Amino acid sequence: MAQSLNRLKESASQTAGPYVHIGLTPNFAEIDGVYGEDLGISMVNDKTRGERVTIVGRIFDGTGTPLRDALVEIWQADAAGLYNSPSEMRGSADPNFTGWGRCATNMDNGEFRFETIKPGSVPFKDGRGQAPHVSFWIVARGINLGLNTRMYFGDEDEANGKDPVLARVEHRSRVATLIAPREGDTFRFDIHLQGEKETIFFDI
Amino acid sequence: MSDVRNSNLKPETGAFFQRDRDWHPAAFTPGYKTSVLRSPQKALLSLDNTLSEITGPVFGHNILGEHDNDLITNFAKPGEMAIGPRIIVYGRVLDERGKGVPGALLEFWQANAGGRYRHRKEGYIAPLDPNFGGCGRTITDEDGNYSFRTIQPGPYPWPNGINDWRPAHIHFSVFGHGFAQRLITQMYFDGDPMIWQCPIVKTINDRAAIEALTAALDREATIPMDSRAYKFDIVLRGRRSTMFENRMEGN
């Protein structure tokens, strides 16, 4: 017998369930007065640097029905490509930008919406630039382990064409599932959990 | 936004250990019916962590209110309290290397003592408790410790099979230091026979993984004539050391 590596196992995931709002967006769930405001509803303020954009979308199940009980979190760099995180060693991120947002999908139409800024480029492991992107994490009733994906910007064709992560996608027709088209200041990112238009999800 | 950032601890910047997806529940678990149409059918694309996954938000104590970790009083009218068995839930947030995770935001939510959630979409006939909201949050200390006070939730029927009931459970949402550590799970109570009958619990194949989600009654931590205590440790992904990290593509 060799020595033990003394590692623990990660706690197993369980679904967030249909009432995830009670814990993560209680004001949205009409549980007023416990927290001042729901965490993650505002990412920017008047002083935030960068181009203001809106990200909207819906999440569809295998029948094409939008999920009206999902919760979406996003994580992104600031306009200079720096993350507001203690693990960011390249410099200080914009103190007026959290980089993190949380939104419950609308209980009637299933839409999520983030008022944010367009992120700058962040280097890949080998130093090459990644195209501007936003990391998504999706939980809901029926989803046993949070789903990770990325949104890329539809007006960044050149950067997207050189992105080292998008380059890893074997089936090139699927790359489009990660690219949100631009309409004015809005980028629409619809997510399909399964079927023909299934979004690429990552094991990160 | 962080106390961790202002501490003397050197931030860690390594990639996270690969997730063991045989230990976690699979996406498609037909015994839990809603998973059938909400599970991706194509393979996940594996991606060794970049800065986008290694970094993550960290929250400061400035977001916390005085009663955020006390569900018995945080929704109650002045001088009143929630009805039900009074418990303290405490434990540590660790990573797979056994290191405490300081500054981790924990959020929790649950039904009341009768199994009723305070939510517009919920129609179970058990009544609401006017003094119980069901949400709380806290941040781990420098060693990864946390605790909160609540009432023990009741079991709860749900429309899956004809006669399916959830075991008593508390939902947990956990942030570590990187977005790739993000985790939502559920805590169960030792000795509850409903655990082993539940289609959501049974989305996990490994009995040891289920036992690791089951909190132990801790008589040494009870407060006499006040509250019993349950211990629940949470383990997040560990991370690689950066000391010999190279910058080559393709590992």
Side-chain angles (χ1 to χ4, degrees):
Chain A
M1 285 278 280
Q3 293 187 358
S4 165
L5 294 173
N6 285 323
R7 296 251 166 78
L8 303 173
K9 292 294 285 184
E10 188 187 9
S11 296
S13 176
Q14 291 271 261
T15 179
Y19 308 129
V20 60
H21 316 108
I22 293 173
L24 304 192
T25 56
N27 292 292
F28 174 84
E30 298 158 26
I31 299 175
D32 301 319
V34 181
Y35 308 150
E37 67 169 26
D38 289 336
L39 212 54
I41 59 167
S42 58
M43 302 175 69
V44 296
N45 64 32
D46 298 345
K47 297 184 202 125
T48 307
R49 293 192 292 269
E51 182 193 352
R52 303 301 172 104
V53 297
T54 302
I55 296 172
V56 298
R58 291 188 291 173
I59 303 165
F60 298 94
D61 73 11
T63 70
T65 305
L67 272 59
R68 296 173 299 159
D69 54 9
L71 183 112
V72 182
E73 291 182 8
I74 64 172
W75 173 241
Q76 64 167 93
D78 69 8
L82 295 168
Y83 283 102
N84 191 347
S85 163
S87 299
E88 173 59 84
M89 305 307 284
R90 298 169 298 149
S92 290
D94 182 350
N96 293 301
F97 183 60
T98 67
W100 174 77
R102 171 186 278 171
C103 185
T105 59
N106 183 288
M107 286 193 205
D108 298 318
N109 65 20
E111 196 168 83
F112 61 80
R113 174 177 298 266
F114 295 98
E115 304 297 338
T116 183
I117 52 122
K118 233 178 127 179
S121 172
V122 174
F124 192 58
K125 294 180 291 176
D126 58 6
R128 278 184 291 167
Q130 302 183 71
H133 63 275
V134 175
S135 298
F136 272 66
W137 183 72
I138 299 152
V139 293
R141 174 173 68 102
I143 295 176
N144 291 323
L145 174 59
L147 295 169
N148 293 101
T149 187
R150 285 182 170 200
M151 187 201 102
Y152 288 80
F153 293 83
D155 59 351
E156 295 281 350
D157 282 348
E158 193 184 335
N160 292 341
K162 293 182 194 159
D163 182 79
V165 173
L166 293 179
R168 294 266 299 275
V169 179
E170 178 187 349
H171 300 95
R172 300 309 296 166
S173 63
R174 298 194 68 208
V175 171
T177 69
L178 301 183
I179 298 179
R182 179 165 195 149
E183 306 156 9
D185 294 331
T186 298
F187 290 85
R188 180 165 296 278
F189 187 50
D190 284 333
I191 294 163
H192 297 267
L193 296 181
Q194 59 175 232
E196 225 171 279
K197 292 187 276 187
E198 185 173 310
T199 300
I200 295 174
F201 297 103
F202 294 90
D203 181 12
I204 58 170
Chain B
M1 61 184 160
S2 101
D3 298 320
V4 169
R5 172 169 318 165
N6 298 327
S7 79
N8 292 321
L9 294 171
K10 189 164 172 272
E12 293 193 287
T13 57
F16 292 97
F17 298 164
Q18 182 182 339
R19 238 177 194 149
D20 181 351
R21 288 176 181 270
D22 293 327
W23 175 261
H24 285 287
F28 177 74
T29 49
Y32 174 25
K33 292 182 181 179
T34 311
S35 76
V36 172
L37 286 169
R38 295 184 171 197
S39 44
Q41 295 167 327
K42 296 180 170 64
L44 302 179
L45 179 62
S46 295
L47 176 63
D48 190 20
N49 295 171
T50 72
L51 281 165
S52 308
E53 291 74 38
I54 287 166
T55 58
V58 173
F59 301 88
H61 286 83
N62 57 313
I63 68 164
L64 299 180
E66 194 186 346
H67 300 289
D68 281 7
N69 69 341
D70 186 356
L71 283 69
I72 292 180
T73 60
N74 71 7
F75 191 77
K77 295 186 223 19
E80 299 190 13
M81 289 192 271
I83 292 170
R86 297 160 63 85
I87 58 170
I88 290 162
V89 179
Y90 81 95
R92 274 183 93 196
V93 179
L94 305 150
D95 77 8
E96 290 170 297
R97 299 166 300 176
K99 296 176 70 157
V101 182
L105 174 66
L106 297 185
E107 298 163 285
F108 18 87
W109 67 101
Q110 62 169 90
N112 70 21
R116 174 71 185 266
Y117 284 95
R118 186 173 287 279
H119 194 281
R120 155 150 82 102
K121 294 281 174 74
E122 130 84 288
Y124 182 34
I125 56 172
L128 287 169
D129 177 343
N131 290 311
F132 187 74
C135 62
R137 61 187 177 184
T138 190
I139 292 175
T140 57
D141 71 12
E142 63 268 24
D143 297 316
N145 296 297
Y146 77 92
S147 67
F148 62 96
R149 190 169 74 149
T150 187
I151 54 94
Q152 190 167 13
Y156 165 79
W158 59 301
N160 187 66
I162 287 170
N163 189 22
D164 280 340
W165 293 71
R166 297 301 323 282
H169 64 280
I170 299 176
H171 297 263
F172 278 74
S173 164
V174 193
F175 287 83
H177 295 168
F179 202 53
Q181 284 180 306
R182 199 73 184 82
L183 181 72
I184 279 183
T185 188
Q186 300 182 27
M187 178 196 115
Y188 304 103
F189 291 86
D190 187 26
D192 184 346
M194 306 296 294
I195 294 171
W196 306 102
Q197 304 169 15
C198 174
I200 288 178
V201 175
K202 288 197 285 192
T203 62
I204 300 171
N205 286 322
D206 194 317
R207 187 181 178 92
I210 295 170
E211 286 168 346
L213 296 182
T214 305
L217 178 67
D218 182 358
R219 289 294 304 275
E220 305 306 333
T222 62
I223 301 175
M225 306 302 286
D226 184 333
S227 304
R228 291 179 304 150
Y230 279 90
K231 174 177 169 284
F232 185 57
D233 287 345
I234 298 165
V235 181
L236 301 180
R237 296 168 71 178
R239 68 198 312 176
R240 299 204 295 263
S241 160
T242 51
M243 56 188 150
F244 298 115
E245 198 97 63
N246 64 40
R247 286 159 69 88
M248 301 286 284
E249 158 67 310
N251 304 315

